[in-house]
């Protein structure tokens, strides 16, 4: 069925005599073909040997490169102080266990002394051991060139040939030591190269001087052999691997085909007469065969599914054009071959052989086999192969027909989708914030990460979100929108952003909730809850600390003004004493009038009230209380602050000038705190003008409305001013330009203004001095 019919031939009588004359040419041609086949066999064997050599070279170098990359990872962690002895033991011991050719991984000092050994039970090296010979020379070379080095081979304690892979470690400009991987060459070849390779070839390892280092003797030499050499380029070391393949058979084997050709020639001559008789009968059926073959070929070539037929032994008897396009092989390269097929990747041999054995046994699954095969160019791709029995015209089972579909793209898309989903779940589960997704209509929880399940329980998916999150859930009236009524074009939409305390645990969470479109098209609520309990606790502690610092600042300010306040209090107290003494004397003398006594006592009462106000201001300034913001006029704030500042101004000869418009609105502030800011700024301005002439000691206090939200207050002096460096750091805590200053006054002032949602800054003046400005909020009309 699968044999191509011959082309139609014209009926000529002399053609019947042609076979007799062709017998001689046939014999000569066969002898020539035999020679060519033997030459091709020799060339194919040499090509196969070269291919195996290159494969072995890549395999060994890849294995060694993997060891070097692992040591480089340890070196980077050691360089940045991220490698502890315990983590070194775990990682290195696991790596040595997975790579049998490695006896141990050690850490040596720059002098070659062994400090760490992993695994710790390894007998290849011991802590405190000193590297010697070629090992010490290789270590010194690695430290000198600052690159990985393979040492020369040496005999270990079991007399096996061994070498070291040395990776130096530096930090800054100095050497710290080196990581050394001790590996056995014999084990490396045994592990890296498969058993079929080592049993097929005779292997010999030689160094750069062609000195034999290692050899296997499992192959018996014959008269027919092929050989080659692999050069392994290792850092600072060069090894060669000689490969010899001995072929079976003796020297007489090439003459066997010649004898067979001669014998066949005789047989052909004898049977030619019989074939001539049979030829006429065959000619009658050829036309029918050509027509049937042409129809079947046209039908199979029009398919996009690859078709392949095999006989009961697995030999390929037919492939269509689609199958050839998929594999890249021509029909002539596939038809007639048995497993393993040329489009089988070497790494899939065992699985593909199992599949073909299962199919030949009639046990192929109805869903087919999913497998990976190889194009002629070496490119791998995934296919699904379906097997069906092949029945001839007599009803006999003659083989199997297989249809093959390329599923590479579909499988890649499925794998990428699975990986993307896995990455998404890994990232979401790794968050500290609790994340869950719930249906807006039914409330069913569709997804919840690990943090959410830790807070609300491990069986939350599929349950009602309102019931699960009842202890920490915003009220419906707090939401910006009702998610159940949102149209699709309004998505995504923010629903809530705020802080809520967990009703059961008492912990605080910052909730951010949005409405989005889910993967199946429905509207869902996505909620992210971040635990802010520690942050709120820190904020409360900082607020209490700020209050204590402000209280301390006020006490320091009042301590500095104690002498001035005593002088201020001395005047009303002295006046009271004088008025009272005068009244006593007049009453004792009996020479008085009631109106005079009443006037004197009224004046004494006024002076006592004046002294009481001074004492009350001091008490309000230093007492400890929570901030309370009330509407107050700016002029009232300045009057209270000037009651203290005028004492210091009079003593230093400073004139305080107030420039405030009459129509300024009230501000909403804590009176004591803002008075403290004003008093601190005025006091600093007075002290800044101690070294200027008396006629220039003028301190200007201004206020103006910036916009409909803020009023700006400025305290401007004519002092020595601040340089650029001081201007940038003047508000930093504990930074001061005064010889005896503490450096906390301006920092506290800025904190007070920021507490009032204002801003405080300093500006240099061209004519000399500094302007300190701050803003405070205006009272709202409602």
């Amino acid at each position: 069925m699968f044999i191509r019919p011959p082309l139609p031939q014209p009926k000529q009588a002399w053609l019947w005599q042609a076979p007799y004359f062709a017998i001689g040419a046939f014999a000569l041609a066969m002898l020539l073909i035999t020679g060519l086949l033997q030459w091709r066999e020799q060339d194919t064997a040499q090509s196969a040997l070269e291919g195996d050599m290159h494969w072995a070279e890549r395999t060994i170098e890849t294995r060694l490169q993997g060891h070097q990359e692992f040591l480089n990872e340890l070196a980077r962690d050691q360089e940045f102080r991220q490698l502890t002895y315990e983590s070194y033991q775990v990682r290195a011991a696991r790596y040595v266990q997975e790579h049998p050719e490695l006896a141990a991984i050690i850490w040596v000092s720059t002098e070659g002394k062994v400090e760490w050994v992993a695994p710790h039970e390894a007998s290849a090296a011991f802590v405190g051991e000193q590297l010697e010979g070629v090992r010490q020379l290789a270590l010194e070379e690695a430290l000198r060139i600052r690159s990985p080095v393979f040492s020369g081979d040496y005999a270990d304690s079991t007399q096996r040939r061994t070498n070291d892979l040395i990776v130096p470690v530096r930090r800054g400009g100095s050497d710290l030591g080196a990581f050394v991987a001790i590996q056995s060459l014999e084990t490396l070849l045994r592990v890296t190269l498969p058993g079929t390779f080592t049993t097929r070839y005779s292997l010999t390892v030689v160094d750069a001087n062609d000195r034999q280092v290692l050899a296997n003797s499992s192959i018996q030499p014959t008269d027919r052999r092929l050989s080659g050499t692999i050069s392994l380029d290792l850092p600072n070391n060069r090894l060669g691997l000689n490969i010899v393949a001995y072929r079976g058979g003796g020297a007489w084997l090439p003459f066997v085909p010649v004898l067979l050709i001669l014998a066949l020639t005789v047989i052909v001559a004898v049977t030619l007469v019989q074939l001539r008789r049979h030829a006429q009968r065959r000619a009658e059926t050829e036309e029918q065969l050509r027509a049937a073959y042409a129809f079947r070929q046209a039908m199979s070539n029009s398919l996009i599914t690859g078709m392949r037929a095999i006989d009961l032994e697995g030999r390929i008897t037919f492939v269509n054009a689609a199958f050839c396009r998929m594999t890249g092989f021509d029909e002539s390269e596939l038809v007639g071959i048995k497993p393993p097929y040329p489009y089988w990747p070497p790494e899939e041999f065992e699985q593909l052989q199992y599949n073909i054995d299962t199919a030949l046994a009639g046990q192929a699954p109805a869903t087919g086999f999913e497998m990976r095969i190889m194009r002629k160019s070496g490119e791998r791709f995934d296919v699904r192969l379906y097997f069906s029995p092949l029945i001839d015209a007599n009803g006999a089972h003659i083989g199997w027909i297989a249809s093959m579909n390329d599923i590479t793209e579909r499988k890649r898309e499925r794998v990428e989708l699975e990986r993307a989903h896995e990455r998404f779940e890994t990232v979401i589960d790794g968050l500290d914030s609790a994340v869950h997704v719930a249906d807006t209509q039914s409330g069913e929880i569709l997804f919840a990460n690990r943090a959410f399940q830790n807070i609300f329980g491990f069986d939350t998916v599929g349950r009602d979100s309102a019931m699960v999150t009842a202890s920490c859930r915003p009220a419906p009236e707090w939401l910006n929108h009702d998610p159940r009524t949102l149209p699709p074009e309004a998505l995504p939409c923010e629903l809530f952003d705020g802080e809520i305390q967990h009703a059961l645990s008492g912990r605080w969470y910052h909730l951010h909730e949005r409405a989005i479109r889910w993967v199946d098209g429905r509207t869902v609520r996505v909620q992210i809850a971040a635990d802010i309990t520690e942050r709120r606790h820190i904020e409360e502690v900082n607020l209490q600390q700020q209050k204590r610092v402000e209280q301390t600042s006020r006490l320091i300010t009042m301590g500095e003004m104690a002498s001035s306040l005593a002088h201020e209090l001395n005047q009303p107290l002295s006046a009271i004493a004088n008025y009272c003494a005068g009244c006593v004397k007049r009453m004792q003398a009996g020479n008085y009038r009631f109106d005079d006594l009443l006037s004197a006592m009224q004046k004494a009462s006024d002076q006592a009230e004046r002294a009481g106000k001074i004492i009350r201001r001091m008490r309000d300034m230093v007492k400890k209380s929570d901030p309370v913001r009330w509407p107050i006029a700016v002029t009232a704030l300045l009057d209270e602050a000037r009651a203290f500042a005028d004492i210091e101004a009079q003593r230093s000869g400073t004139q305080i000038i107030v420039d405030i418009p009459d129509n300024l609105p009230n501000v909403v502030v804590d009176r004591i705190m803002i008075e403290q800011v004003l008093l601190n700024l005025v006091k600093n301005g007075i002290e800044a003008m101690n070294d200027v002439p008396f006629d220039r000691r003028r301190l200007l206090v201004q206020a103006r409305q910036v916009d409909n939200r803020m009023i700006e207050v400025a305290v401007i002096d004519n002092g020595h001013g601040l340089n650029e460096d001081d201007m940038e750091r003047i508000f930093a805590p504990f930074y001061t330009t005064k010889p005896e200053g503490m450096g906390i006054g301006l920092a506290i002032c800025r904190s007070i203004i920021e507490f009032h949602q204002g801003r405080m800054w300093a500006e240099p003046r061209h004519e000399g001095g500094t302007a300190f400005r701050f803003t405070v909020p205006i009272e709202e009309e409602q």
Side-chain angles (χ1 to χ4, degrees):
M1 175 178 181
F2 297 99
I3 301 176
R4 186 187 300 272
L7 297 176
Q9 299 291 334
K11 297 181 179 180
Q12 298 181 8
W14 64 272
L15 290 178
W16 291 107
Q17 306 297 327
Y20 298 101
F21 300 100
I23 291 176
F26 171 79
L28 294 177
M30 291 300 296
L31 293 175
L32 179 61
I33 292 174
T34 301
L36 292 175
L37 290 177
Q38 291 181 355
W39 172 82
R40 183 177 180 181
E41 178 187 5
Q42 180 74 14
D43 183 72
T44 302
Q46 184 67 35
S47 299
L49 175 62
E50 292 177 357
D52 290 341
M53 288 167 54
H54 291 307
W55 174 84
E57 177 183 5
R58 291 193 302 270
T59 303
I60 296 174
E61 289 184 352
T62 301
R63 189 83 170 189
L64 296 178
Q65 184 66 29
H67 299 341
Q68 182 175 340
E69 292 176 356
F70 178 77
L71 293 187
N72 285 333
E73 293 178 2
L74 294 179
R76 286 193 297 269
D77 292 345
Q78 184 75 328
E79 177 183 356
F80 294 104
R81 297 187 178 95
Q82 297 178 354
L83 184 67
T84 63
Y85 179 76
E86 290 75 12
S87 63
Y88 157 79
Q89 277 291 341
V90 172
R91 293 167 61 185
R94 185 186 300 115
Y95 192 82
V96 171
Q97 184 179 4
E98 295 173 352
H99 299 80
E101 70 271 17
L102 297 180
I105 297 178
I106 62 176
W107 166 255
V108 299
S109 63
T110 54
E111 293 78 17
K113 185 177 180 180
V114 179
E115 296 181 352
W116 292 353
V117 178
H120 55 79
E121 69 272 9
S123 60
F126 304 93
V127 175
E129 181 182 1
Q130 180 67 40
L131 301 184
E132 297 177 353
V134 296
R135 306 179 71 187
Q136 180 65 24
L137 294 177
L139 174 61
E140 295 173 357
E141 179 65 15
L143 294 175
R144 183 184 67 83
I145 66 177
R146 304 174 183 175
S147 298
V149 167
F150 277 87
S151 69
D153 63 281
Y154 60 90
D156 61 4
S157 59
T158 61
Q159 299 304 314
R160 294 189 303 178
R161 306 312 298 176
T162 308
N163 68 347
D164 294 342
L165 170 57
I166 304 172
V167 177
V169 180
R170 291 175 58 84
R171 184 183 296 134
S174 60
D175 296 319
L176 298 180
F179 283 104
V180 181
I182 304 174
Q183 63 180 0
S184 169
L185 294 176
E186 180 181 357
T187 308
L188 176 64
L189 293 180
R190 186 177 67 252
V191 172
T192 306
L193 302 178
T196 57
F197 190 95
T198 55
T199 56
R200 191 167 52 190
Y201 299 110
S202 174
L203 308 177
T204 304
V205 179
V206 297
D207 58 13
N209 299 323
D210 288 334
R211 179 178 62 86
Q212 180 173 321
V213 176
L214 180 68
N216 70 333
S217 57
S218 59
I219 304 300
Q220 296 297 327
T222 63
D223 294 335
R224 305 172 67 196
R225 55 173 288 175
L226 296 173
S227 62
T229 301
I230 298 174
S231 178
L232 303 177
D233 291 328
L234 309 178
N236 207 43
N237 194 358
R238 185 181 180 88
L239 293 179
L241 181 62
N242 293 334
I243 300 178
V244 179
Y246 294 99
R247 306 172 65 191
W252 52 271
L253 188 61
F255 298 101
V256 173
V258 176
L259 298 177
L260 292 177
I261 291 173
L262 295 177
L264 290 175
T265 303
V266 174
I267 295 174
V268 169
V270 173
T271 59
L272 180 60
V273 176
Q274 300 297 327
L275 292 176
R276 182 176 178 180
R277 296 175 182 176
H278 181 68
Q280 292 183 351
R281 293 193 298 268
R282 290 187 57 187
E284 298 175 358
T285 60
E286 283 183 1
E287 289 300 324
Q288 300 176 359
L289 179 61
R290 291 190 192 96
Y293 178 82
F295 176 78
R296 181 193 59 81
Q297 192 73 4
M299 183 176 61
S300 64
N301 289 337
S302 64
L303 297 176
I304 61 173
T305 299
M307 304 295 294
R308 181 201 67 184
I310 58 175
D311 60 15
L312 297 177
E313 296 181 356
R315 183 182 292 104
I316 296 177
T317 58
F318 166 76
V319 289
N320 70 342
F323 190 93
C324 295
R325 287 195 300 270
M326 288 184 182
T327 60
F329 291 92
D330 294 334
E331 180 181 1
S332 59
E333 297 176 291
L334 297 175
V335 174
I337 61 174
K338 298 176 63 176
Y341 302 126
Y343 49 82
W344 282 6
E347 66 273 11
E348 301 286 342
F349 269 8
E350 295 183 3
Q351 181 62 39
L352 296 177
Q353 185 63 50
Y354 172 79
N355 293 346
I356 194 67
D357 292 342
T358 303
L360 292 176
Q363 300 176 359
T367 57
F369 295 104
E370 182 175 324
M371 62 183 67
R372 172 162 290 191
I373 62 175
M374 177 180 63
R375 291 189 173 91
K376 188 175 183 180
S377 62
E379 178 186 357
R380 271 68 170 171
F381 64 103
D382 298 309
V383 299
R384 181 169 292 276
L385 210 62
Y386 299 90
F387 282 87
S388 299
L390 188 62
I391 308 299
D392 66 359
N394 298 322
H397 182 202
I398 61 173
W400 301 89
I401 186 75
S403 60
M404 185 174 69
N405 297 316
D406 189 343
I407 62 171
T408 304
E409 189 62 25
R410 283 181 292 172
K411 185 176 181 180
R412 184 189 65 80
E413 293 175 355
R414 185 175 68 250
V415 170
E416 288 297 327
L417 184 60
E418 293 174 353
R419 290 178 178 174
H421 181 71
E422 181 180 355
R423 288 194 296 269
F424 168 76
E425 289 192 343
T426 301
V427 171
I428 295 300
D429 283 340
L431 295 177
D432 294 333
S433 301
V435 181
H436 85 283
V437 180
D439 190 295
T440 57
Q441 302 297 330
S442 63
E444 177 188 1
I445 296 179
L446 305 177
F447 172 80
N449 71 341
R450 185 177 291 110
F452 182 85
Q453 294 177 348
N454 290 339
I455 297 174
F456 297 101
F458 286 88
D459 55 349
T460 55
V461 176
R463 299 179 59 189
D464 188 356
S465 175
M467 296 179 58
V468 173
T469 63
S471 56
C472 187
R473 180 182 180 89
E477 60 269 15
W478 296 357
L479 300 180
N480 299 332
H481 305 278
D482 186 353
R484 294 172 297 179
T485 60
L486 285 175
E489 59 272 10
L491 301 178
C493 176
E494 182 170 326
L495 302 178
F496 179 78
D497 189 0
E499 299 177 359
I500 295 181
Q501 187 177 22
H502 197 287
L504 300 179
S505 65
R507 301 190 68 85
W508 283 89
Y509 295 91
H510 180 271
L511 297 186
H512 184 79
E513 189 166 353
R514 291 174 64 87
I516 65 171
R517 184 183 298 277
W518 194 233
V519 293
D520 56 4
R522 54 180 162 173
T523 303
V524 297
R525 298 171 62 169
V526 179
Q527 185 186 93
I528 302 175
D531 192 335
I532 59 172
T533 306
E534 297 298 330
R535 191 191 74 187
R536 287 184 64 93
H537 175 70
I538 292 173
E539 290 176 353
E540 292 176 1
V541 172
N542 290 339
L543 181 58
Q544 295 298 327
Q545 185 68 19
Q546 180 68 23
K547 292 178 182 179
R548 289 193 289 269
V549 172
E550 293 170 2
Q551 178 71 9
T552 303
S553 174
R554 289 198 294 270
L555 292 175
I556 292 172
T557 304
M558 297 308 299
E560 292 177 352
M561 300 182 61
S563 60
S564 299
L565 291 172
H567 175 74
E568 178 72 8
L569 288 172
N570 186 52
Q571 294 178 4
L573 293 176
S574 298
I576 293 171
N578 290 336
Y579 287 132
C580 290
C583 291
V584 170
K585 288 180 181 181
R586 289 189 179 187
M587 293 176 69
Q588 288 175 348
N591 183 18
Y592 67 90
R593 289 186 306 174
F594 179 78
D595 293 338
D596 293 337
L597 292 178
L598 181 59
S599 176
M601 293 305 294
Q602 183 66 42
K603 293 180 179 179
S605 176
D606 293 340
Q607 294 298 324
E609 184 178 356
R610 176 185 174 191
K613 289 183 178 179
I614 295 174
I615 297 300
R616 187 164 55 254
R617 292 193 199 101
M618 293 177 60
R619 183 182 61 188
D620 292 341
M621 180 65 73
V622 301
K623 74 177 180 180
K624 181 178 180 181
S625 62
D626 293 332
V628 178
R629 288 187 275 184
W630 293 95
I632 189 172
V634 178
T635 54
L637 288 173
L638 292 178
D639 290 342
E640 293 288 338
R642 285 192 62 180
F644 292 102
D646 283 343
I647 302 172
E648 184 71 19
Q650 292 174 7
R651 188 175 62 181
S652 63
T654 302
Q655 180 184 4
I656 298 179
I657 303 173
V658 178
D659 181 14
I660 299 177
D662 296 333
N663 58 347
L664 280 182
N666 292 345
V667 294
V668 182
V669 296
D670 182 277
R671 181 178 60 83
I672 298 300
M673 298 176 74
I674 299 302
E675 285 180 5
Q676 179 185 357
V677 173
L678 286 170
L679 185 59
N680 200 321
L681 295 179
V682 171
K683 181 175 174 293
N684 288 345
I686 293 174
E687 293 177 354
M689 295 186 291
N690 285 338
D691 298 332
V692 302
F694 285 95
D695 59 343
R696 295 187 62 235
R697 295 186 184 182
R698 289 190 298 274
L699 186 70
L700 177 61
V701 181
Q702 294 178 331
R704 68 183 183 91
Q705 184 174 352
V706 180
D707 50 31
N708 57 358
R709 295 181 57 252
M710 290 290 177
I711 283 182
E712 178 187 295
V713 180
V715 179
I716 305 171
D717 63 69
N718 292 325
H720 51 74
L722 299 173
N723 57 40
E724 183 177 353
D725 184 56
D726 291 338
M727 192 68 68
E728 294 178 356
R729 303 170 58 189
I730 192 64
F731 293 103
F734 306 108
Y735 179 81
T736 180
T737 58
K738 303 177 185 178
E740 299 179 356
M742 298 182 62
I744 64 173
L746 288 177
I748 293 174
C749 290
R750 175 177 255 183
S751 298
I752 292 174
I753 296 303
E754 290 177 350
F755 171 75
H756 287 80
Q757 287 83 42
R759 187 171 66 94
M760 188 175 189
W761 70 98
E763 296 177 350
R765 302 181 66 216
H766 297 294
E767 58 272 19
T770 308
F772 285 88
R773 304 179 186 274
F774 65 88
T775 59
V776 287
I778 297 175
E779 177 187 10
E780 297 180 359
E781 293 182 0
Q782 60 269 28

